Amino acid sequence: MDYRTPLAKARGLGSAKSGTVHWWMQRVSAAALIPLSLWWLTFIGHLLKSSYPQTVVWLSKPLNSVLMIAWILAVFYHAGLGLQVVIEDYVHTEWLKIVSVWIVKLAFTLLALVAVMAIFNIGKMV
C-alpha cells in the first residue's frame, strides 16, 4: 500500500518540473519570429533581385546584421524547443530520450554559432 499523497506522487513528473517555462518560451520565441520573419522575407526579396556584392553590402549594414543574427538565434532556439517536445512525446526509452534531446540541443547550438559566425564574416568583407 502506498501512503504517499497525490502531490508527493506527482512531484518531479510532467508539468510539475519545467513544462510551463518550456511552453512560455515556445510562445515567446514564436512571437519574436513574427516580425523577424517579416524582415527576413524582405531580405529574401532583396536577395532575389540583387547581385552578390550588393547583398553583402546590404547584409553588412549594422541593423540588417543584428536582425539576421536575432532571426538565426530565434529560429534555432524555437526549432530546438519544438524538436525537444517531439522527442519527449514519442521516444519512450528514457536514456534514448535524454541522449536525443542533448544531441538536438548541441547540434542546434553549433549550427546557430556557425550561422552567426558567417554573418560576422560577411561584415568583415566590406
Side-chain angles (χ1 to χ4, degrees):
M1 181 163 210
D2 191 1
Y3 294 106
R4 294 182 300 164
T5 65
L7 178 62
K9 291 177 188 175
R11 285 196 196 277
L13 301 174
S15 62
K17 287 196 299 186
S18 62
T20 305
V21 172
H22 189 98
W23 185 87
W24 269 110
M25 293 313 295
Q26 279 187 309
R27 274 46 185 191
V28 168
S29 62
L33 279 169
I34 293 170
L36 288 171
S37 293
L38 292 174
W39 171 86
W40 186 80
L41 289 172
T42 304
F43 167 68
I44 295 299
H46 176 80
L47 184 67
L48 292 174
K49 64 182 180 185
S50 300
S51 66
Y52 177 76
Q54 290 171 326
T55 302
V56 168
V57 168
W58 190 81
L59 196 53
S60 296
K61 294 179 182 174
L63 178 63
N64 293 329
S65 293
V66 167
L67 289 174
M68 181 59 85
I69 290 169
W71 182 82
I72 288 167
L73 295 176
V75 162
F76 280 109
Y77 183 69
H78 186 75
L81 290 174
L83 248 93
Q84 181 179 344
V85 169
V86 171
I87 291 168
E88 289 171 349
D89 286 348
Y90 294 106
V91 176
H92 301 293
T93 307
E94 195 62 30
W95 71 268
L96 186 58
K97 184 186 305 186
I98 292 168
V99 169
S100 299
V101 168
W102 274 100
I103 288 172
V104 165
K105 287 182 178 185
L106 179 64
F108 279 20
T109 300
L110 290 175
L111 288 170
L113 286 173
V114 167
V116 168
M117 288 303 299
I119 299 300
F120 287 148
N121 285 335
I122 289 172
K124 284 194 251 179
M125 295 171 84
V126 175

